Amino acid sequence: MTGADDRVLVVRGSREFLLEPGATQETDLGVLELPEDVEPGTVVETHLGEAFEVRRLRGPDLFDHLERTGAPMMPRDIGLVVGHTGVAAGDRALDAGTGTGVLAAYLGRLGVEVTTYERDPEFADTARGNMETAGVAGTVDVRTGDLTETLDDFAAEFDLLTLDTEDAPAVVEHAEELLAPGGFLAVYSPFVESAREAVEAARGAGLADIETLETIQRRMDFDDRGSRPSTAGVGHTGYLVFARFRPQFGSPS
Amino acid sequence: MTGADDRVLVVRGSREFLLEPGATQETDLGVLELPEDVEPGTVVETHLGEAFEVRRLRGPDLFDHLERTGAPMMPRDIGLVVGHTGVAAGDRALDAGTGTGVLAAYLGRLGVEVTTYERDPEFADTARGNMETAGVAGTVDVRTGDLTETLDDFAAEFDLLTLDTEDAPAVVEHAEELLAPGGFLAVYSPFVESAREAVEAARGAGLADIETLETIQRRMDFDDRGSRPSTAGVGHTGYLVFARFRPQFGSPS
Amino acid sequence: MTGADDRVLVVRGSREFLLEPGATQETDLGVLELPEDVEPGTVVETHLGEAFEVRRLRGPDLFDHLERTGAPMMPRDIGLVVGHTGVAAGDRALDAGTGTGVLAAYLGRLGVEVTTYERDPEFADTARGNMETAGVAGTVDVRTGDLTETLDDFAAEFDLLTLDTEDAPAVVEHAEELLAPGGFLAVYSPFVESAREAVEAARGAGLADIETLETIQRRMDFDDRGSRPSTAGVGHTGYLVFARFRPQFGSPS
Amino acid sequence: MTGADDRVLVVRGSREFLLEPGATQETDLGVLELPEDVEPGTVVETHLGEAFEVRRLRGPDLFDHLERTGAPMMPRDIGLVVGHTGVAAGDRALDAGTGTGVLAAYLGRLGVEVTTYERDPEFADTARGNMETAGVAGTVDVRTGDLTETLDDFAAEFDLLTLDTEDAPAVVEHAEELLAPGGFLAVYSPFVESAREAVEAARGAGLADIETLETIQRRMDFDDRGSRPSTAGVGHTGYLVFARFRPQFGSPS
């Protein structure tokens, strides 16, 4: 792992604490005193002899332990960004609309170097703390400000450009100046209209392989009576617009 | 990147070659002679002065350049495995049913150390070549054989267990012996019956957070007349069964 | 309309009464005295001068005014049965698993002559009352009993055979003895397994054009921010298996 | 049935002829001479002794035997209109955008009296012929012209108003002048934008119970390997906007 945070999850059933080595934690099953050299995969006991499991924080745990400043992007949408853009460890990503920072944290945990912009200073501070929690403070750079005002700071150096902001189209227009050849754009848009605007900006910018995907996810229920999709539906989250920078040479071929 | 392969993609429009530095390639636009020190992000010209872009191979390019031994897992399903399990760089994954190896290659490119089993010796050889192509021969270990026969070789050391085989339930039964605390299981099943069997095996093995997801993806069309989901539907790929290993202590709490 | 019931709906906002002509009804806005010759499309007033609208009961009103003995089939599934089988006024339908009787009532209101079987005598009584309410007591014959035990009573005379019972396959086996040439079968099954059994029975019975449809319905939200599918998903109801009786002559052609 | 057409379908396997009693038809299995008193449910033979089945034309047969002037509305969408509006035999429907006339024909076959408008004179002529074929020439009145120009001709007399035209909103504005109390509006819109416009017009007109539904339908495949949704997706057809006319009295209650 690339993170600098050495906190571990100490867990028993629904009791779950994110603790630093050496920390003391009171619980309803007694007091936990965590050794300084505590290791994930071991077991610790309270002074009453009750066992807790020690483990590393993993991606899905972020949804329980990050401080929220808005609705975080869901695991499925984060995953679809990874799957459809093929971002890899060592890649560089530029992100706008940090919010809670779940996407940035996931990317950071995948070994991606992330530069992410959050306009709201308080949200940006919270996101920085969240990157500590996620163990990716070293690889995710949370900047306070507006990406559209600092576009000139960057060369065509990013493998991935992820946007979850209302003014995404204003950034998409400059995608070719930001992306390395073959690099990908991913825009998250809750609404049809904003997805369409992102697509039109991508067309205007000459990007290739533009597609907008809507994903409907359902849980399957398996019980004694049989198998069926859940009667509780899973709702819409957002549209994902993908596009790719493919430099064009000479006459169309 | 973690790979040992130094081939680059040389691209112009629909022409696309995966070439080693120093290679010579004939094209309908003239002969390309690639310098030994060719760098991604640059441009090379044929002897007729026609330009080609040089770039790194990225995840989605694997679908064009890996040799197929069956239908590869799709980007969306690979992404959903990453999103729902939160696998991270430095994690260890155990995979069965390598096939073409797209899932293993994606995970390897994300910095995950992968051990993957393929029963068919020829398919395994092809998969090894594909890992070279994907630049992950160093991090993905393709083993010829049957995981169910070598389960004793492993301690509870894996962060992720991914299964795309018909006998997935036989491995799921042993998930707790393979997974580190908090680690995830992901089973890909095209059929309702096989998904159900995986769920029943996960219940029998005492795994937690078991859920089966079905994902429907649709393209949106944006044209002059308006915006709508594509009239060409996107079909079913498979069910994804997820579960997590959560050690249980003492009495239920 | 074909019904014998002359009750009308007397409505104001969320206040809604199903009343016979000449009836007296107390409301929080005063007492309503309905004339003996009250007509749908008119307005009546309470003794305090508060107006109520008089109107006929329509299909969707049945969901508010029928007495339920179980989850009724939903409007979408009733509609899909009509759309996919093309049942018409004057047709004859044989139905098993009456339940609340919404499907039978809808079909009756469409001018279809319905014979429907309900095994539970109390449910059957309730269904008979519901047919009165729906105004179709004259065209829907609710029989107490088990269709599988009275199959011999019928010739191949039905245009439509609708089944919403656990033992649907036992009836499907005899579909050719019940259906007129070109007639349709529709089986409603909440579970994959029961849908599959119905399909296998239809194959065994030599029925044609067998298909199983699953329908996912979503509401669209249109507000000031934009347009999107509802974040509240709409869940699964059931699978619909359709098949058709096409007599086969001579050698296959 | 309400139709005046006495043609019958004469069918064997994929051979299917719509013939008048007394007609002569050459086939590759010999010459068919249909008796003047031919009855559905019987069998006729060619002069070579090959048997054909005689049957009535049913709703789904319309898709094979009506002359098309554009993409007809699909069975699922026709069915959803019936299911969500609960239209009944004896009801009156006003329809705009006849097209091929499949919706009008289905409604007519359900005993609904339909007045339908088609702007294109040739399309209207074809639709009239299609109503003959469907046996509903007596109950479906196909008018050549623009409904928006003849709105004054109608009192609030319709139980159902169905619109499949680009200028649907212009009619929706007048829905309250066309619909009987409790009557329903259904607008079919292929695009998000047109569905939204219809919703906004319905809100402006004070209609109640406004909802827009999108329906995704999938086929299930059942074979020896297992059960799953079809890998061939079923695409988008259109959005259905429903609303209801509920007269408002006095102060909101």
Side-chain angles (χ1 to χ4, degrees), chain B:
Chain B
M1 277 300 305
T2 55
D5 194 279
D6 56 1
R7 283 182 286 180
V8 291
L9 281 177
V10 184
V11 182
R12 174 166 168 154
S14 60
R15 299 172 185 84
E16 190 168 311
F17 307 99
L18 185 63
L19 301 175
E20 294 194 21
T24 299
Q25 173 74 41
E26 294 192 13
T27 84
D28 64 321
L29 296 175
V31 178
L32 275 169
E33 299 209 355
L34 224 54
E36 287 288 350
D37 60 350
V38 65
E39 284 289 333
T42 59
V43 168
V44 293
E45 293 191 356
T46 65
H47 79 288
L48 298 176
E50 297 286 350
F52 279 69
E53 160 210 355
V54 179
R55 59 175 169 86
R56 290 199 290 112
L57 178 141
R58 297 169 190 277
D61 299 316
L62 297 176
F63 292 90
D64 294 324
H65 293 281
L66 296 194
E67 190 176 338
R68 298 192 180 193
T69 56
M73 195 180 285
M74 299 305 289
R76 79 179 199 202
D77 293 311
I78 297 169
L80 291 168
V81 169
V82 173
H84 285 283
T85 68
V87 68
D91 278 3
R92 298 192 56 191
L94 179 61
D95 177 59
T98 317
T100 300
V102 177
L103 174 61
Y106 258 76
L107 292 175
R109 285 170 44 85
L110 291 169
V112 179
E113 280 182 61
V114 183
T115 303
T116 179
Y117 280 78
E118 171 57 51
R119 225 172 292 175
D120 183 303
E122 286 187 32
F123 286 10
D125 277 349
T126 301
R128 275 179 212 106
N130 283 341
M131 296 309 110
E132 295 278 349
T133 302
V136 294
T139 48
V140 178
D141 178 9
V142 181
R143 299 189 184 177
T144 307
D146 193 331
L147 173 57
T148 57
E149 292 169 7
T150 56
L151 289 168
D152 296 341
D153 296 2
F154 303 104
E157 58 197 303
F158 293 101
D159 301 287
L160 176 62
L161 174 58
T162 52
L163 304 173
D164 181 7
T165 59
E166 289 189 14
D167 60 358
V171 180
V172 173
E173 288 171 17
H174 298 273
E176 295 209 356
E177 301 149 35
L178 298 167
L179 288 172
F184 281 90
L185 164 73
V187 182
Y188 177 84
S189 299
F191 297 103
V192 175
E193 289 84 355
S194 50
R196 185 180 178 111
E197 286 165 17
V199 165
E200 287 171 354
R203 287 175 183 161
L207 296 180
D209 302 350
I210 303 170
E211 69 175 355
T212 306
L213 295 174
E214 184 197 8
T215 304
I216 301 166
Q217 236 182 12
R218 298 197 300 171
R219 290 203 166 71
M220 292 292 290
D221 287 343
F222 299 115
D223 66 21
D224 289 348
R225 294 168 301 164
S227 309
R228 62 173 167 182
S230 172
T231 54
V234 175
H236 177 74
T237 57
Y239 298 96
L240 282 167
V241 178
F242 294 104
R244 194 169 193 182
F245 173 42
R246 292 185 180 277
Q248 305 295 323
F249 301 112
S251 50
S253 53

Side-chain angles (χ1 to χ4, degrees), chain D residues 6 26 38 72 79 84 91-92 98 109 122 134 141 155 161 187 190 235 243:
Chain D
D6 55 1
E26 295 192 12
V38 65
H84 286 283
D91 278 3
R92 297 192 57 191
T98 317
R109 285 170 44 84
E122 286 186 34
D141 178 9
L161 174 58
V187 182

Side-chain angles (χ1 to χ4, degrees), chain D residues 7 25 39 42 63 80 89 135 139 143 147 159 192 199 202 219 237:
Chain D
R7 282 183 286 182
Q25 174 73 42
E39 283 290 333
T42 59
F63 292 90
L80 292 168
T139 48
R143 299 187 183 178
L147 173 57
D159 301 286
V192 175
V199 166
R219 290 203 167 72
T237 57

Side-chain angles (χ1 to χ4, degrees), chain C residues 10-193:
Chain C
V10 183
V11 183
R12 175 169 169 152
S14 60
R15 299 171 186 85
E16 190 168 311
F17 308 99
L18 186 64
L19 301 177
E20 295 193 22
T24 299
Q25 174 73 43
E26 294 193 12
T27 83
D28 64 323
L29 296 174
V31 178
L32 275 169
E33 300 209 356
L34 223 52
E36 287 289 347
D37 59 350
V38 65
E39 284 289 332
T42 59
V43 168
V44 292
E45 293 191 356
T46 65
H47 79 289
L48 299 177
E50 298 287 347
F52 279 69
E53 160 211 355
V54 179
R55 59 175 168 85
R56 291 201 288 114
L57 177 142
R58 295 169 191 277
D61 299 316
L62 297 176
F63 292 90
D64 295 324
H65 293 280
L66 296 195
E67 189 177 340
R68 299 193 180 194
T69 56
M73 195 179 287
M74 299 304 289
R76 80 181 199 202
D77 294 310
I78 296 169
L80 292 168
V81 169
V82 173
H84 286 281
T85 68
V87 68
D91 278 2
R92 297 192 56 191
L94 179 61
D95 177 59
T98 317
T100 299
V102 178
L103 174 60
Y106 258 74
L107 292 176
R109 286 171 44 84
L110 291 169
V112 179
E113 278 182 63
V114 183
T115 303
T116 179
Y117 280 78
E118 170 57 50
R119 223 170 294 173
D120 184 301
E122 288 187 32
F123 286 11
D125 277 348
T126 302
R128 273 178 213 109
N130 284 341
M131 295 309 109
E132 295 277 349
T133 302
V136 294
T139 48
V140 178
D141 178 10
V142 181
R143 299 190 183 175
T144 307
D146 193 332
L147 173 57
T148 58
E149 293 169 8
T150 56
L151 290 169
D152 296 342
D153 296 1
F154 302 105
E157 58 198 305
F158 293 100
D159 301 286
L160 176 62
L161 173 58
T162 52
L163 304 172
D164 180 8
T165 58
E166 289 189 14
D167 61 357
V171 180
V172 173
E173 287 171 19
H174 298 273
E176 295 209 355
E177 301 149 36
L178 298 167
L179 287 172
F184 282 89
L185 164 74
V187 182
Y188 178 84
S189 299
F191 298 103
V192 174
E193 289 84 356

